[in-house]
Amino acid sequence: MTTANLAEARRNFAEADAVYQGLKAKARSIADRIQVAKAKQTAITNKRVAGTATEADTAEFGALSADLELLATMLTAAETAAEAKNPEFERNLLSQAETLHQREQDKTKFDALSAVCLKLDAALCEAIGEAHAFGKRLGHVPLSQSWRPSEALHRAVNYGVPPGGIQ
């Protein structure tokens, strides 16, 4: 997964999400208008119950009822349109792209560290051999008299426990 592919996946998701958020905002706007109309109807109903409603209130109540029917239809259409543009597919593609990109970065770092470990291993083996050669001159017979691995190295090699507790 190249950086360009990852950038494209991010751009595709951002574009899809922007469309989706715009459609969701339109649906919220319609829902807000419905709430306002219902609140006005409730106020008119309270006036009617209190006996203070006017003919204008009655006419407005009827108009609000028609508005609410139309707004409900508009809201359903807006919610359907928004859901049709849900960017879940693009979100999933982005998530996969990010995972692949991270995996490739981790592989590159791993390969570089493996190369360093090989060089260090070769240098350590050479140093151990030299230490043993000089140790023999001093009367050391077994290798362990000239060199012993550190506890961390011993545990890593013999027990598979990474040094420093890194897992």
Side-chain angles (χ1 to χ4, degrees), residues 83-96:
E83 205 47 47
K85 293 293 186 174
N86 189 320
E88 195 61 32
F89 178 73
E90 289 82 358
R91 179 180 285 114
N92 288 338
L93 287 179
L94 174 57
S95 177
Q96 291 171 4

Side-chain angles (χ1 to χ4, degrees), residues 20-48:
Y20 176 69
Q21 294 303 328
L23 292 170
K24 291 294 281 183
K26 181 179 179 181
R28 281 190 303 274
S29 173
I30 294 168
D32 291 345
R33 290 169 56 194
I34 288 172
Q35 288 304 104
V36 168
K38 285 182 177 181
K40 286 180 182 178
Q41 273 193 328
T42 299
I44 292 169
T45 298
N46 289 338
K47 283 183 180 181
R48 286 181 27 218

Side-chain angles (χ1 to χ4, degrees), residues 8 12 35 57 60-63 67 72 76 81 90 96 98 101-102 109 123 134 140 149 157 160 165:
E8 181 181 356
N12 289 343
Q35 288 304 104
D57 290 333
E60 184 179 8
F61 189 89
D67 289 352
T76 300
E90 289 82 358
Q96 291 171 4
E98 289 172 336
H101 184 71
Q102 185 62 52
K109 290 175 185 174
F134 282 103
H140 301 169
V157 171

